[in-house]
Amino acid sequence: MGLCSRNKSGIGMQKARGFGCVPLCALVLEALSSSTVALATSPKPRAGRFGSDSALKEAVAYTWRYRPNETDGVSKRYVKKNAKYALRTRKLPYADEVPSDMFFRYVLPYSHFDEPVDDWRKLFYDTLLDYVKSNSTLEEAASSLWPVWFHAFGKEISFKADQTPGIMAPITGTLKHGFASCTGLSIFLANCYRAVGIPARIVGVREWNLPTKGNHNWVEVW
């Protein structure tokens, strides 16, 4: 699979072929949400002008129509704010490497499964922007975030088993407590990448072929 490294949070990273340049977070077994990401089968959006009012309207409409969990209670105001901050990332030096369909499917969405919805994007954008704004490629930007994401928010975030579904929300769950199991950490890390315009998605194994069963989530980054 290529180079493998490990940061201080105990989470490993591999570069592999498939979803572009792929850091894989080698987390630990935990229950996987039964929800699925509808965006994977949604139609390809138009490219549009990402700084225009029409781009914002399209991003809001796309998010509302294809949001992963239609019963999460979010408002149109929330979706619009989320879209505004997502569209800001289109001005970053490496943004031209992100096709419009990848942006809509793996940067714009505000949630992944059925986790409680936090207003996370502004905080994540403001906190992480300085780490990536001088990078010229997606790979450089992704690599710049990797050593810092788990302590960039003022406390160190670490793995703790058996926390799903109790700790899944990125701010009121993982950041508040300072820990999560693989599902919560995957949500947090994918949001870190999405917040600065790097396409990311969560994948997983639904059930291991082991007597103890269990499963696993990790993050793929374009």
Side-chain angles (χ1 to χ4, degrees):
M1 296 283 284
L3 178 66
C4 181
S5 62
R6 189 168 297 275
N7 64 21
K8 292 181 180 179
S9 70
I11 298 174
M13 168 175 152
Q14 293 181 339
K15 285 188 177 180
R17 293 181 180 179
F19 195 56
C21 172
V22 183
L24 297 180
C25 299
L27 305 172
V28 193
L29 301 178
E30 187 50 46
L32 175 65
S33 167
S34 60
S35 298
T36 57
V37 180
L39 294 173
T41 57
S42 55
K44 187 174 181 178
R46 300 185 303 275
R49 295 182 59 191
F50 282 100
S52 66
D53 289 340
S54 62
L56 178 59
K57 290 180 181 178
E58 183 182 10
V60 170
Y62 190 90
T63 305
W64 191 257
R65 183 175 181 182
Y66 297 109
R67 60 195 187 276
N69 181 8
E70 295 182 358
T71 61
D72 57 19
V74 300
S75 64
K76 285 286 185 70
R77 182 177 180 181
Y78 175 97
V79 170
K80 185 175 182 180
K81 180 181 178 182
N82 174 78
K84 281 183 176 180
Y85 273 89
L87 288 167
R88 286 188 182 188
T89 67
R90 302 303 287 174
K91 299 178 182 179
L92 291 169
Y94 48 83
D96 287 344
E97 292 184 42
V98 182
S100 60
D101 60 326
M102 293 296 295
F103 171 82
F104 274 76
R105 294 178 180 179
Y106 301 117
V107 174
L108 179 62
Y110 57 83
S111 65
H112 304 269
F113 303 123
D114 57 354
E115 72 268 24
V117 177
D118 283 335
D119 189 8
W120 59 269
R121 195 176 289 266
K122 181 182 186 301
L123 173 64
F124 280 43
Y125 176 87
D126 291 343
T127 301
L128 301 172
L129 180 63
D130 285 346
Y131 295 106
V132 300
K133 64 183 181 182
S134 63
N135 295 135
S136 58
T137 69
L138 276 174
E139 184 169 1
E140 290 174 355
S143 297
S144 294
L145 275 193
W146 178 248
V148 301
W149 67 270
F150 60 95
H151 60 72
F153 293 84
K155 64 167 65 175
E156 187 158 318
I157 297 170
S158 60
F159 171 81
K160 187 175 181 180
D162 300 324
Q163 301 303 312
T164 303
I167 298 179
M168 293 174 66
I171 296 178
T172 58
T174 302
L175 186 57
K176 177 182 177 180
H177 294 282
F179 58 79
S181 48
C182 70
T183 302
L185 288 181
S186 293
I187 291 168
F188 192 92
L189 177 58
N191 287 352
C192 286
Y193 281 114
R194 288 182 176 187
V196 290
I198 303 170
R201 66 185 182 188
I202 300 174
V203 294
V205 175
R206 185 174 180 85
E207 186 174 82
W208 291 117
N209 186 20
L210 297 169
T212 54
K213 303 301 181 182
N215 59 1
H216 182 41
N217 288 140
W218 62 92
V219 174
E220 291 183 342
V221 173
W222 177 267

